[in-house]
């Protein structure tokens, strides 16, 4: 009777969701574990966050935490740990994580890192945090293999969701419950259609339990907890910060912009949501954004495919400036420049360590409509800035939008720029970055692979916009004209984004300037520029057409022209005609003209399908010889092409483009690490 009695006691004693304990004689298979969340069955499906989370307390159940591996590196104690998320459908769910802290540390601020889709817990991240004076936990919610610093995989105990499946696809469950609804199946919590079947809910719950782990560690001050995450981890950071008041500072990266339900008259750009009212109230980021009460740094570039800038501008407009700052890298997609990356660390230094001199108040931006609109930016007067960079665009297609940087003048503490218009039928968008000098103590920080230190950092204004109707009502005129010169000198790459500078094989330069009707290529024109080079070598000029369905239904197309450089006095002239361009990747057919270009790029990395044995792409490019170009311009041709209106992708086309972007982002991260 001993074993059945223990089972009965387990049921009676642990109705409050405590984990039953067995003695040495009780087989684990015979234990009855109390459910952390009772399945709904016929009970009412949650209609809002209050009902979804109810009286759930992430500190109530024992964590059953264990250390499965421990070692030291550079005075940092590193561990692989596992903790119990809960018991669901009779089976425990357990998440693994990297945990790091300075050896012998006590009562330090605690950080939680939440990885993105397709990724895993990041050892370099927690070690870097520890070297900067924090304890750090990186969750492995997706269940992928965890990787050590030497690239070897950890084959020990990993994340196990038990009867559920909240891992990132590919997964056991054929249904991706991050994207494919809440209907019940074999791996969901509830046997009815319920928002608790959504994996965003489950991973947020796992992150709340991760906060409980941090709070319970002797190295951590439980009153000073911060959270940050990238991509899917950025959205989860927003969820966690909105629902768990233990978070005292948050930095969502490339995630958490929310679902846009505004009309075109209210917000001309952005991606309109097709979510149901129930999804908007329970699954979307929107209700979590409305509950934010911890200082939050919005950390996302202007052209991010996952966290739409215009969606953020609308959905976060009610979050007060006292809680919110922004740092938005111009031109980047799903990544940040080094100056912007620094702001994440400064955010935690401010709100978890009390170094209040680092964060200025939010710059105020306004559009003064008139014949030629003016953009007026007022930065924090108490903290001197180096400069203010003002950006504008008339493109409603935000993912391929080119942000023009305007010339500014400073008048009585305000920075002012004129924004001449090309087209009165389009709205005008604007935002600004206010640049500050980095304090000496933050100029040589430990960094993760692919990230460099920066002598400057910047915070951004909110995005401002005026509609076409408002521009016309204010008497605006289309005074701007097409221009052939794209880049006179690359001493300042302000119109470009750059990747892997310093790596002779992987560096690349990119601009969306050719998408702007002011700099769109004339019919029949050639693209010509000069590039600085040490000796003869090969170069690829890449072209992207119709990215994200910017001009027509259907997928994007990619092309390249390969050119051999003939160097004279340290410079080589490159000229590209349409006849020189060949399709690459999955693209079929030739590029008809320049009118559908959304981006051009320059790199010594020759596409494999165009490479021949004599093409040694890296010859002449060495570390420390960052590339430079001059006189990038269109030569010849005429401006007979009409403006192409934006279009909307089908759901299938958008899903494919989204998945392709995730793959491209993961591949770029590998290159980033190789560049250090």
């Amino acid at each position: 009777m001993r074993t059945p009695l223990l089972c009965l006691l387990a049921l009676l004693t642990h109705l409050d969701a405590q984990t039953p304990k067995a003695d040495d004689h009780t087989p684990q298979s015979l234990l009855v574990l109390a459910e952390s969340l009772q399945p709904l069955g016929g009970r009412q499906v949650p209609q809002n966050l209050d009902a979804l989370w109810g009286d759930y307390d992430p500190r109530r159940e024992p964590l059953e935490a264990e250390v499965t591996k421990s070692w030291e590196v550079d005075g940092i104690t590193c561990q692989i740990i596992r903790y119990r998320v809960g018991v669901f459908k009779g089976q425990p769910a357990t998440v693994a994580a990297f945990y790091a802290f300075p050896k012998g540390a006590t009562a330090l601020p605690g950080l939680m890192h939440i990885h993105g889709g397709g990724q895993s817990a990041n050892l370099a991240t927690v070690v870097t945090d520890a070297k900067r004076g924090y304890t750090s936990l990186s969750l492995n919610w997706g269940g992928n293999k965890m990787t050590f610093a030497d690239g070897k995989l950890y084959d020990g105990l990993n994340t196990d969701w038990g009867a559920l499946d909240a891992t990132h696809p590919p997964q056991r469950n054929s249904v991706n419950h991050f994207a494919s609804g809440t209907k019940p199946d074999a791996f969901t919590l509830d046997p009815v259609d319920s928002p608790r079947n959504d994996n965003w809910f489950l991973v947020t719950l796992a992150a709340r339990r991760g906060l409980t782990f941090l709070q319970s560690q002797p190295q951590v001050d439980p009153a000073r907890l911060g959270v940050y995450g990238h991509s899917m981890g950025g959205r989860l950071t927003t969820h966690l910060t909105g629902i768990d008041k233990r978070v005292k500072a948050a930095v969502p990266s490339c995630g958490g912009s929310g679902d846009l339900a505004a009309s075109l008259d209210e917000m001309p750009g952005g991606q309109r949501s097709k979510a149901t009212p129930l999804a908007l109230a329970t699954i979307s980021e929107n209700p979590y954004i409305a509950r934010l009460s911890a200082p939050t740094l919005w950390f996302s570039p202007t052209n991010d495919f996952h966290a739409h800038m215009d969606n953020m501008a609308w959905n976060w407009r009610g979050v007060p400036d006292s809680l919110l700052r922004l740092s938005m890298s111009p031109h980047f997609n799903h990544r940040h420049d080094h100056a912007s990356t620094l702001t994440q660390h400064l955010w935690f230094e401010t709100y978890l360590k009390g170094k209040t001199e680092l964060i200025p108040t939010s710059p105020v931006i306004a559009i003064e409509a008139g014949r030629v609109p003016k953009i007026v930016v007022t930065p924090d007067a108490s903290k001197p800035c180096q400069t203010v960079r003002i950006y504008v665009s008339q493109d409603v297609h935000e993912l391929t939008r080119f942000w023009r940087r305007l010339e500014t003048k400073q008048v009585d503490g305000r920075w002012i720029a004129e924004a001449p218009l090309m087209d009165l039928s389009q709205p005008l968008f604007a935002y600004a970055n206010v640049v500050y000098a980095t304090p000496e103590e933050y100029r040589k920080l430990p960094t993760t692979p692919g990230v460099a230190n920066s002598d400057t950092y910047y915070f951004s204004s909110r995005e401002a916009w005026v509609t076409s109707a408002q521009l016309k009502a204010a008497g605006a005129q289309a005074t701007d004209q097409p221009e052939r010169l794209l880049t006179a000198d690359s001493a300042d790459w302000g119109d470009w984004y750059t990747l892997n500078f310093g790596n002779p094989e992987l560096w690349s330069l990119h601009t969306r300037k050719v998408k702007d009707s002011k700099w769109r290529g004339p019919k029949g024109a050639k693209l010509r520029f000069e590039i600085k080079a040490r000796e003869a070598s090969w170069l690829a000029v890449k072209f992207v057409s119709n990215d994200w369905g910017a001009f027509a239904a259907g997928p994007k197309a990619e092309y390249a022209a390969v050119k051999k450089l003939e160097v004279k006095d340290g410079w080589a002239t490159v000229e590209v005609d349409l006849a020189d361009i060949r399709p690459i990747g999955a693209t079929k057919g030739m590029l008809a003209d320049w009118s559908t270009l959304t981006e051009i790029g320059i790199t010594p990395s020759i596409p494999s399908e165009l490479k021949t044995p004599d093409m040694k792409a890296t010859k002449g490019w060495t570390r420390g010889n960052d590339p430079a170009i001059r006189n990038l311009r269109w030569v010849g041709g005429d401006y007979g092409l009409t403006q192409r209106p934006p279009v909307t992708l089908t759901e299938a086309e958008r899903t494919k483009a989204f998945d392709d972007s995730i793959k491209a982002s993961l591949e770029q991260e590998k290159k980033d690490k190789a560049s250090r």
Side-chain angles (χ1 to χ4, degrees):
M1 292 296 293
R2 180 174 177 82
T3 299
L5 178 59
L6 283 174
C7 293
L8 178 60
L9 288 174
L11 281 171
L12 295 176
T13 305
H14 301 287
L15 291 178
D16 62 348
Q18 297 296 316
T19 304
K21 303 293 183 182
D23 63 23
D24 293 338
H25 305 287
T26 307
Q28 183 68 30
S29 61
L30 295 179
L31 284 174
V32 178
L33 301 178
E35 291 289 310
S36 300
L37 298 172
Q38 292 296 325
L40 289 178
R43 295 163 53 193
Q44 185 178 10
V45 172
Q47 300 295 305
N48 51 48
L49 289 194
D50 288 331
L52 179 63
W53 288 100
D55 60 355
Y56 174 75
D57 184 348
R59 296 162 293 193
R60 186 170 60 205
E61 296 181 59
L63 286 165
E64 301 293 337
E66 59 178 336
V67 177
T68 61
K69 186 175 178 61
S70 183
W71 68 101
E72 291 184 11
V73 56
D74 298 332
I76 304 301
T77 299
C78 303
Q79 296 177 343
I80 296 177
I81 64 98
R82 296 208 315 166
Y83 65 87
R84 180 172 292 180
V85 176
V87 177
F88 310 105
K89 298 168 72 171
Q91 296 184 34
T94 306
V95 163
F98 283 121
Y99 180 52
F101 52 88
K103 185 178 180 181
T106 58
L108 292 179
L111 295 177
M112 178 190 292
H113 166 255
I114 308 177
H115 71 73
Q119 300 175 328
S120 60
N122 193 298
L123 178 60
T125 292
V126 296
V127 170
T128 299
D129 286 343
K131 289 180 178 179
R132 293 176 173 182
Y134 295 83
T135 59
S136 187
L137 181 74
S138 180
L139 306 186
N140 201 45
W141 62 264
N144 290 328
K145 291 282 190 180
M146 300 164 70
T147 306
F148 294 114
D150 60 4
K152 294 182 179 178
L153 298 176
Y154 173 63
D155 288 325
L157 294 172
N158 201 343
T159 295
D160 182 356
W161 280 96
L164 308 179
D165 191 355
T167 56
H168 187 271
Q171 56 192 39
R172 292 178 300 162
N173 196 348
S174 60
V175 178
N176 175 10
H177 280 285
F178 288 104
S180 300
T182 56
K183 293 187 180 299
D185 60 40
F187 296 98
T188 60
L189 176 64
D190 293 327
V192 297
D193 195 341
S194 161
R196 300 199 313 177
N197 292 336
D198 182 73
N199 280 353
W200 294 107
F201 168 73
L202 293 176
V203 180
T204 302
L205 190 150
R208 297 189 71 182
R209 292 284 283 165
L211 290 178
T212 300
F213 172 85
L214 276 174
Q215 279 192 316
S216 67
Q217 303 309 302
Q219 302 86 18
V220 178
D221 177 351
R224 295 189 290 164
L225 300 182
V227 59
Y228 66 101
H230 178 70
S231 193
M232 289 178 71
R235 174 171 173 171
L236 289 162
T237 296
T238 304
H239 284 220
L240 180 62
T241 306
I243 202 63
D244 201 310
K245 302 307 179 187
R246 293 176 294 175
V247 176
K248 302 306 178 186
V251 184
S253 164
C254 299
S257 56
D259 292 290
L260 183 62
S263 69
L264 285 170
D265 291 335
E266 294 170 312
M267 165 47 78
Q271 179 186 354
R272 264 67 195 172
S273 172
K274 296 182 179 179
T276 65
L278 178 59
L280 285 172
T282 57
I283 295 172
S284 170
E285 305 102 293
N286 293 25
Y288 292 96
I289 294 168
R291 292 172 180 242
L292 290 173
S293 60
T296 302
L297 171 65
W298 175 259
F299 186 44
S300 194
T302 57
N303 295 76
D304 191 66
F305 75 92
H306 186 250
H308 291 235
M309 181 177 177
D310 292 353
N311 287 33
M312 183 274 165
W314 183 262
N315 291 324
W316 289 64
R317 69 193 188 283
V319 181
D321 285 347
S322 59
L323 291 178
L324 180 65
R325 298 292 188 280
L326 304 92
S327 189
M328 299 186 289
S329 302
H331 315 309
F332 279 92
N333 171 25
H334 220 55
R335 57 196 304 105
H336 315 278
D337 63 31
H338 302 308
S340 179
T341 299
L342 178 60
T343 61
Q344 174 178 281
H345 179 56
L346 301 183
W347 195 252
F348 292 129
E349 290 287 281
T350 297
Y351 291 104
L352 299 183
K353 290 186 178 179
K355 299 187 177 182
T356 56
E357 72 281 2
L358 300 171
I359 308 297
T361 59
S362 289
V364 177
I365 188 169
I367 300 177
E368 296 181 355
R371 183 177 182 274
V372 177
K374 291 182 179 180
I375 316 300
V376 181
V377 177
T378 308
D380 184 349
S382 68
K383 186 173 178 58
C385 64
Q386 285 191 350
T387 190
V388 174
R389 298 168 183 159
I390 297 177
Y391 300 90
V392 297
S393 179
Q394 284 199 271
D395 193 345
V396 296
H397 197 276
E398 61 177 344
L399 298 186
T400 58
R401 179 184 294 162
F402 172 68
W403 285 94
R404 302 187 190 183
R405 181 175 167 184
L406 303 179
E407 292 186 8
T408 61
K409 59 181 179 180
Q410 190 177 3
V411 180
D412 297 329
R414 303 187 306 163
W415 296 70
I416 303 172
E418 289 190 342
L421 304 177
M422 288 288 291
D423 185 357
L424 288 181
S425 69
Q426 301 299 320
L428 177 65
F429 303 91
Y431 95 102
N433 285 334
V434 181
V435 182
Y436 299 91
T438 303
E440 285 297 329
E441 64 178 301
Y442 296 108
R443 294 194 177 201
K444 294 183 179 180
L445 292 167
T447 61
T448 55
V451 176
N453 281 299
S454 176
D455 292 339
T456 62
Y457 65 100
Y458 57 83
F459 284 94
S460 306
S461 72
R462 295 182 187 251
E463 183 183 2
W465 64 92
V466 289
T467 65
S468 171
Q470 291 169 330
L471 288 170
K472 292 175 182 177
Q477 299 293 316
T479 60
D480 206 5
Q481 298 293 323
E483 186 173 325
R484 291 178 176 272
L485 182 67
L486 283 84
T487 299
D489 192 307
S490 59
D492 180 0
W493 291 107
D495 292 338
W496 297 66
Y497 68 93
T498 61
L499 302 175
N500 307 124
F501 258 33
N503 188 301
E505 298 178 1
L506 300 176
W507 67 261
S508 59
L509 319 168
H510 308 263
T511 184
R512 296 184 185 85
K513 201 168 186 176
V514 292
K515 170 82 185 303
D516 192 315
S517 56
K518 181 178 178 67
W519 291 282
R520 191 169 299 160
K523 184 178 181 179
K526 298 179 181 180
L527 184 68
R528 185 183 296 167
F529 62 94
E530 297 160 46
I531 187 165
K532 191 174 184 179
R534 291 183 176 179
E535 56 189 81
S537 53
W538 292 91
L539 191 76
V541 184
K542 294 186 176 181
F543 302 86
V544 179
S545 170
N546 196 48
D547 197 11
W548 288 98
F551 292 111
K556 74 176 181 181
E558 297 181 89
Y559 308 88
V562 178
K563 293 289 181 174
K564 186 174 183 179
L565 303 184
E566 301 296 336
V567 181
K568 183 179 180 180
D569 297 328
W571 292 86
T573 298
V574 177
E575 185 173 275
V576 180
D577 186 85
L578 280 170
D580 301 328
I581 299 172
R582 296 292 181 269
I584 58 175
T587 300
K588 306 296 181 183
M590 303 296 287
L591 180 65
D593 55 49
W594 309 116
S595 67
T596 61
L597 288 186
T598 48
E599 184 175 312
I600 61 172
I602 301 171
T603 180
S605 179
I606 308 300
S608 58
E609 56 266 64
L610 302 183
K611 195 169 187 178
T612 59
D614 61 326
M615 292 182 184
K616 297 179 180 180
T618 62
K619 188 177 181 181
W621 307 107
T622 59
R623 292 186 184 274
N625 183 35
D626 288 345
I629 63 171
R630 65 188 184 191
N631 298 323
L632 177 67
R633 63 206 182 276
W634 297 108
V635 179
D638 63 73
Y639 286 97
L641 290 178
T642 59
Q643 173 81 8
R644 291 177 178 265
V647 299
T648 302
L649 290 176
T650 66
E651 284 301 308
E653 289 169 340
R654 182 171 288 279
T655 298
K656 183 180 185 305
F658 188 92
D659 292 342
D660 289 345
S661 293
I662 291 176
K663 294 176 183 177
S665 178
L666 293 173
E667 286 300 315
Q668 184 57 52
E669 287 180 11
K670 294 178 182 178
K671 293 180 180 180
D672 291 346
K673 294 177 181 178
S675 295
R676 290 298 301 278

